[in-house]
PDB file of all heavy atoms in Angstrom:
ATOM      1  N   GLY A 573      -3.740  15.976  22.358  1.00  0.00           N
ATOM      2  CA  GLY A 573      -5.006  16.860  22.418  1.00  0.00           C
ATOM      3  C   GLY A 573      -6.149  16.114  21.948  1.00  0.00           C
ATOM      4  O   GLY A 573      -6.143  14.870  21.829  1.00  0.00           O
ATOM      5  N   LEU A 574      -7.250  16.878  21.742  1.00  0.00           N
ATOM      6  CA  LEU A 574      -8.495  16.266  21.196  1.00  0.00           C
ATOM      7  C   LEU A 574      -8.624  16.590  19.762  1.00  0.00           C
ATOM      8  O   LEU A 574      -8.504  17.706  19.299  1.00  0.00           O
ATOM      9  CB  LEU A 574      -9.743  16.822  22.099  1.00  0.00           C
ATOM     10  CG  LEU A 574      -9.740  16.477  23.461  1.00  0.00           C
ATOM     11  CD1 LEU A 574     -10.945  17.261  24.161  1.00  0.00           C
ATOM     12  CD2 LEU A 574     -10.052  14.955  23.630  1.00  0.00           C
ATOM     13  N   TYR A 575      -9.039  15.586  18.986  1.00  0.00           N
ATOM     14  CA  TYR A 575      -9.267  15.774  17.527  1.00  0.00           C
ATOM     15  C   TYR A 575     -10.670  15.432  17.240  1.00  0.00           C
ATOM     16  O   TYR A 575     -11.241  14.535  17.895  1.00  0.00           O
ATOM     17  CB  TYR A 575      -8.321  14.787  16.765  1.00  0.00           C
ATOM     18  CG  TYR A 575      -6.891  15.236  16.808  1.00  0.00           C
ATOM     19  CD1 TYR A 575      -6.147  15.018  18.019  1.00  0.00           C
ATOM     20  CD2 TYR A 575      -6.230  15.869  15.734  1.00  0.00           C
ATOM     21  CE1 TYR A 575      -4.754  15.441  18.116  1.00  0.00           C
ATOM     22  CE2 TYR A 575      -4.884  16.225  15.838  1.00  0.00           C
ATOM     23  CZ  TYR A 575      -4.182  15.990  16.998  1.00  0.00           C
ATOM     24  OH  TYR A 575      -2.883  16.472  17.082  1.00  0.00           O
ATOM     25  N   ALA A 576     -11.336  16.263  16.346  1.00  0.00           N
ATOM     26  CA  ALA A 576     -12.801  16.164  16.289  1.00  0.00           C
ATOM     27  C   ALA A 576     -13.121  15.887  14.750  1.00  0.00           C
ATOM     28  O   ALA A 576     -12.503  16.330  13.893  1.00  0.00           O
ATOM     29  CB  ALA A 576     -13.535  17.440  16.740  1.00  0.00           C
ATOM     30  N   ARG A 577     -14.250  15.175  14.590  1.00  0.00           N
ATOM     31  CA  ARG A 577     -14.828  14.988  13.304  1.00  0.00           C
ATOM     32  C   ARG A 577     -16.363  15.287  13.598  1.00  0.00           C
ATOM     33  O   ARG A 577     -17.028  14.406  14.173  1.00  0.00           O
ATOM     34  CB  ARG A 577     -14.622  13.565  12.752  1.00  0.00           C
ATOM     35  CG  ARG A 577     -15.272  13.316  11.348  1.00  0.00           C
ATOM     36  CD  ARG A 577     -14.935  11.908  10.889  1.00  0.00           C
ATOM     37  NE  ARG A 577     -15.473  10.889  11.774  1.00  0.00           N
ATOM     38  CZ  ARG A 577     -15.204   9.565  11.510  1.00  0.00           C
ATOM     39  NH1 ARG A 577     -14.443   9.218  10.559  1.00  0.00           N
ATOM     40  NH2 ARG A 577     -15.728   8.702  12.319  1.00  0.00           N
ATOM     41  N   ALA A 578     -16.828  16.363  12.971  1.00  0.00           N
ATOM     42  CA  ALA A 578     -18.137  16.891  13.415  1.00  0.00           C
ATOM     43  C   ALA A 578     -18.077  17.103  14.930  1.00  0.00           C
ATOM     44  O   ALA A 578     -17.220  17.806  15.408  1.00  0.00           O
ATOM     45  CB  ALA A 578     -19.291  16.007  13.002  1.00  0.00           C
ATOM     46  N   LEU A 579     -18.994  16.502  15.690  1.00  0.00           N
ATOM     47  CA  LEU A 579     -18.899  16.683  17.186  1.00  0.00           C
ATOM     48  C   LEU A 579     -18.450  15.315  17.808  1.00  0.00           C
ATOM     49  O   LEU A 579     -18.510  15.125  19.083  1.00  0.00           O
ATOM     50  CB  LEU A 579     -20.340  16.910  17.735  1.00  0.00           C
ATOM     51  CG  LEU A 579     -20.912  18.249  17.256  1.00  0.00           C
ATOM     52  CD1 LEU A 579     -22.265  18.522  17.791  1.00  0.00           C
ATOM     53  CD2 LEU A 579     -20.079  19.377  17.783  1.00  0.00           C
ATOM     54  N   GLN A 580     -17.783  14.515  17.068  1.00  0.00           N
ATOM     55  CA  GLN A 580     -17.127  13.258  17.593  1.00  0.00           C
ATOM     56  C   GLN A 580     -15.706  13.549  17.812  1.00  0.00           C
ATOM     57  O   GLN A 580     -15.046  14.096  17.022  1.00  0.00           O
ATOM     58  CB  GLN A 580     -17.249  12.217  16.494  1.00  0.00           C
ATOM     59  CG  GLN A 580     -17.005  10.779  17.027  1.00  0.00           C
ATOM     60  CD  GLN A 580     -17.276   9.688  15.897  1.00  0.00           C
ATOM     61  OE1 GLN A 580     -17.022  10.044  14.774  1.00  0.00           O
ATOM     62  NE2 GLN A 580     -17.807   8.637  16.279  1.00  0.00           N
ATOM     63  N   THR A 581     -15.211  13.095  19.042  1.00  0.00           N
ATOM     64  CA  THR A 581     -13.780  13.498  19.356  1.00  0.00           C
ATOM     65  C   THR A 581     -13.033  12.179  19.679  1.00  0.00           C
ATOM     66  O   THR A 581     -13.575  11.207  20.098  1.00  0.00           O
ATOM     67  CB  THR A 581     -13.808  14.326  20.628  1.00  0.00           C
ATOM     68  OG1 THR A 581     -14.448  13.696  21.675  1.00  0.00           O
ATOM     69  CG2 THR A 581     -14.473  15.756  20.403  1.00  0.00           C
ATOM     70  N   ARG A 582     -11.698  12.341  19.425  1.00  0.00           N
ATOM     71  CA  ARG A 582     -10.675  11.297  19.785  1.00  0.00           C
ATOM     72  C   ARG A 582      -9.564  11.951  20.459  1.00  0.00           C
ATOM     73  O   ARG A 582      -9.171  12.999  20.043  1.00  0.00           O
ATOM     74  CB  ARG A 582     -10.331  10.456  18.508  1.00  0.00           C
ATOM     75  CG  ARG A 582     -11.387   9.646  17.932  1.00  0.00           C
ATOM     76  CD  ARG A 582     -11.777   8.579  18.847  1.00  0.00           C
ATOM     77  NE  ARG A 582     -12.836   7.727  18.242  1.00  0.00           N
ATOM     78  CZ  ARG A 582     -14.171   7.999  18.478  1.00  0.00           C
ATOM     79  NH1 ARG A 582     -14.496   9.077  19.231  1.00  0.00           N
ATOM     80  NH2 ARG A 582     -15.092   7.251  18.024  1.00  0.00           N
ATOM     81  N   ALA A 583      -9.048  11.295  21.429  1.00  0.00           N
ATOM     82  CA  ALA A 583      -7.937  11.888  22.186  1.00  0.00           C
ATOM     83  C   ALA A 583      -6.580  11.234  21.787  1.00  0.00           C
ATOM     84  O   ALA A 583      -6.604  10.046  21.589  1.00  0.00           O
ATOM     85  CB  ALA A 583      -8.166  11.610  23.707  1.00  0.00           C
ATOM     86  N   VAL A 584      -5.645  12.073  21.716  1.00  0.00           N
ATOM     87  CA  VAL A 584      -4.245  11.569  21.453  1.00  0.00           C
ATOM     88  C   VAL A 584      -3.515  12.017  22.710  1.00  0.00           C
ATOM     89  O   VAL A 584      -3.380  13.221  22.974  1.00  0.00           O
ATOM     90  CB  VAL A 584      -3.676  12.190  20.259  1.00  0.00           C
ATOM     91  CG1 VAL A 584      -2.172  11.831  20.063  1.00  0.00           C
ATOM     92  CG2 VAL A 584      -4.407  11.774  18.999  1.00  0.00           C
ATOM     93  N   ASN A 585      -3.023  11.006  23.454  1.00  0.00           N
ATOM     94  CA  ASN A 585      -2.297  11.315  24.780  1.00  0.00           C
ATOM     95  C   ASN A 585      -0.809  10.995  24.535  1.00  0.00           C
ATOM     96  O   ASN A 585      -0.389  10.230  23.726  1.00  0.00           O
ATOM     97  CB  ASN A 585      -2.921  10.498  25.772  1.00  0.00           C
ATOM     98  CG  ASN A 585      -4.221  10.942  26.303  1.00  0.00           C
ATOM     99  OD1 ASN A 585      -4.455  12.137  26.552  1.00  0.00           O
ATOM    100  ND2 ASN A 585      -5.292  10.071  26.434  1.00  0.00           N
ATOM    101  N   LEU A 586      -0.055  11.536  25.506  1.00  0.00           N
ATOM    102  CA  LEU A 586       1.333  11.177  25.592  1.00  0.00           C
ATOM    103  C   LEU A 586       1.473   9.760  26.076  1.00  0.00           C
ATOM    104  O   LEU A 586       0.773   9.276  26.897  1.00  0.00           O
ATOM    105  CB  LEU A 586       2.003  12.110  26.554  1.00  0.00           C
ATOM    106  CG  LEU A 586       2.252  13.582  26.214  1.00  0.00           C
ATOM    107  CD1 LEU A 586       2.724  14.367  27.360  1.00  0.00           C
ATOM    108  CD2 LEU A 586       3.226  13.635  25.029  1.00  0.00           C
ATOM    109  N   LYS A 587       2.426   9.110  25.488  1.00  0.00           N
ATOM    110  CA  LYS A 587       2.750   7.709  25.933  1.00  0.00           C
ATOM    111  C   LYS A 587       4.022   7.707  26.747  1.00  0.00           C
ATOM    112  O   LYS A 587       5.059   7.868  26.171  1.00  0.00           O
ATOM    113  CB  LYS A 587       2.826   6.726  24.738  1.00  0.00           C
ATOM    114  CG  LYS A 587       1.506   6.456  24.014  1.00  0.00           C
ATOM    115  CD  LYS A 587       1.700   5.585  22.885  1.00  0.00           C
ATOM    116  CE  LYS A 587       0.265   5.119  22.348  1.00  0.00           C
ATOM    117  NZ  LYS A 587      -0.510   6.200  21.948  1.00  0.00           N
ATOM    118  N   ILE A 588       3.860   7.583  28.035  1.00  0.00           N
ATOM    119  CA  ILE A 588       4.911   7.802  29.005  1.00  0.00           C
ATOM    120  C   ILE A 588       5.181   6.432  29.639  1.00  0.00           C
ATOM    121  O   ILE A 588       4.335   5.825  30.265  1.00  0.00           O
ATOM    122  CB  ILE A 588       4.667   8.855  30.055  1.00  0.00           C
ATOM    123  CG1 ILE A 588       4.312  10.170  29.380  1.00  0.00           C
ATOM    124  CG2 ILE A 588       5.743   8.980  31.030  1.00  0.00           C
ATOM    125  CD1 ILE A 588       3.906  11.235  30.306  1.00  0.00           C
ATOM    126  N   ALA A 589       6.504   5.908  29.525  1.00  0.00           N
ATOM    127  CA  ALA A 589       6.858   4.712  30.127  1.00  0.00           C
ATOM    128  C   ALA A 589       7.535   4.846  31.487  1.00  0.00           C
ATOM    129  O   ALA A 589       7.963   5.993  31.789  1.00  0.00           O
ATOM    130  CB  ALA A 589       7.784   3.888  29.161  1.00  0.00           C
ATOM    131  N   PRO A 590       7.563   3.914  32.266  1.00  0.00           N
ATOM    132  CA  PRO A 590       8.287   3.980  33.541  1.00  0.00           C
ATOM    133  C   PRO A 590       9.778   4.567  33.513  1.00  0.00           C
ATOM    134  O   PRO A 590      10.111   5.373  34.382  1.00  0.00           O
ATOM    135  CB  PRO A 590       8.303   2.650  34.186  1.00  0.00           C
ATOM    136  CG  PRO A 590       7.152   1.976  33.614  1.00  0.00           C
ATOM    137  CD  PRO A 590       7.051   2.517  32.180  1.00  0.00           C
ATOM    138  N   ASN A 591      10.549   4.172  32.483  1.00  0.00           N
ATOM    139  CA  ASN A 591      11.909   4.680  32.411  1.00  0.00           C
ATOM    140  C   ASN A 591      12.002   6.205  32.000  1.00  0.00           C
ATOM    141  O   ASN A 591      12.996   6.813  32.073  1.00  0.00           O
ATOM    142  CB  ASN A 591      12.769   3.830  31.448  1.00  0.00           C
ATOM    143  CG  ASN A 591      12.248   3.914  30.037  1.00  0.00           C
ATOM    144  OD1 ASN A 591      11.098   4.357  29.787  1.00  0.00           O
ATOM    145  ND2 ASN A 591      13.106   3.573  29.092  1.00  0.00           N
ATOM    146  N   ASP A 592      10.788   6.678  31.502  1.00  0.00           N
ATOM    147  CA  ASP A 592      10.830   8.158  31.112  1.00  0.00           C
ATOM    148  C   ASP A 592      10.769   9.015  32.349  1.00  0.00           C
ATOM    149  O   ASP A 592      11.233  10.179  32.201  1.00  0.00           O
ATOM    150  CB  ASP A 592       9.527   8.472  30.327  1.00  0.00           C
ATOM    151  CG  ASP A 592       9.585   7.799  28.916  1.00  0.00           C
ATOM    152  OD1 ASP A 592      10.675   7.685  28.485  1.00  0.00           O
ATOM    153  OD2 ASP A 592       8.522   7.603  28.358  1.00  0.00           O
ATOM    154  N   VAL A 593      10.424   8.476  33.497  1.00  0.00           N
ATOM    155  CA  VAL A 593      10.531   9.342  34.725  1.00  0.00           C
ATOM    156  C   VAL A 593      11.580   8.895  35.711  1.00  0.00           C
ATOM    157  O   VAL A 593      11.710   9.409  36.779  1.00  0.00           O
ATOM    158  CB  VAL A 593       9.140   9.259  35.462  1.00  0.00           C
ATOM    159  CG1 VAL A 593       8.076   9.933  34.583  1.00  0.00           C
ATOM    160  CG2 VAL A 593       8.667   7.849  35.830  1.00  0.00           C
ATOM    161  N   ALA A 594      12.370   7.950  35.265  1.00  0.00           N
ATOM    162  CA  ALA A 594      13.526   7.527  36.107  1.00  0.00           C
ATOM    163  C   ALA A 594      14.539   8.570  36.062  1.00  0.00           C
ATOM    164  O   ALA A 594      14.776   9.208  35.115  1.00  0.00           O
ATOM    165  CB  ALA A 594      14.028   6.156  35.654  1.00  0.00           C
ATOM    166  N   PRO A 595      15.242   8.762  37.192  1.00  0.00           N
ATOM    167  CA  PRO A 595      16.370   9.802  37.149  1.00  0.00           C
ATOM    168  C   PRO A 595      17.610   9.294  36.390  1.00  0.00           C
ATOM    169  O   PRO A 595      17.706   8.103  36.050  1.00  0.00           O
ATOM    170  CB  PRO A 595      16.703   9.850  38.734  1.00  0.00           C
ATOM    171  CG  PRO A 595      16.274   8.539  39.243  1.00  0.00           C
ATOM    172  CD  PRO A 595      15.138   8.104  38.551  1.00  0.00           C
ATOM    173  N   MET A 596      18.368  10.266  36.000  1.00  0.00           N
ATOM    174  CA  MET A 596      19.559  10.033  35.250  1.00  0.00           C
ATOM    175  C   MET A 596      20.520   9.002  36.004  1.00  0.00           C
ATOM    176  O   MET A 596      20.536   9.212  37.241  1.00  0.00           O
ATOM    177  CB  MET A 596      20.288  11.304  34.796  1.00  0.00           C
ATOM    178  CG  MET A 596      19.345  12.216  33.938  1.00  0.00           C
ATOM    179  SD  MET A 596      20.207  13.793  33.657  1.00  0.00           S
ATOM    180  CE  MET A 596      21.581  13.314  32.582  1.00  0.00           C
ATOM    181  N   PRO A 597      21.307   8.330  35.351  1.00  0.00           N
ATOM    182  CA  PRO A 597      22.245   7.443  36.035  1.00  0.00           C
ATOM    183  C   PRO A 597      23.237   8.242  36.904  1.00  0.00           C
ATOM    184  O   PRO A 597      23.636   9.316  36.439  1.00  0.00           O
ATOM    185  CB  PRO A 597      22.959   6.644  34.891  1.00  0.00           C
ATOM    186  CG  PRO A 597      22.011   6.751  33.760  1.00  0.00           C
ATOM    187  CD  PRO A 597      21.327   8.168  33.868  1.00  0.00           C
ATOM    188  N   ALA A 598      23.606   7.662  38.065  1.00  0.00           N
ATOM    189  CA  ALA A 598      24.469   8.338  38.897  1.00  0.00           C
ATOM    190  C   ALA A 598      25.869   8.451  38.387  1.00  0.00           C
ATOM    191  O   ALA A 598      26.708   9.262  38.796  1.00  0.00           O
ATOM    192  CB  ALA A 598      24.484   7.635  40.234  1.00  0.00           C
TER     193      ALA A 598
END
Side-chain angles (χ1 to χ4, degrees):
L574 290 174
Y575 291 74
R577 182 175 63 181
L579 294 178
Q580 195 177 36
T581 59
R582 291 293 177 270
V584 175
N585 286 311
L586 290 171
K587 288 182 171 57
I588 302 174
N591 65 341
D592 289 334
V593 296
M596 299 175 66

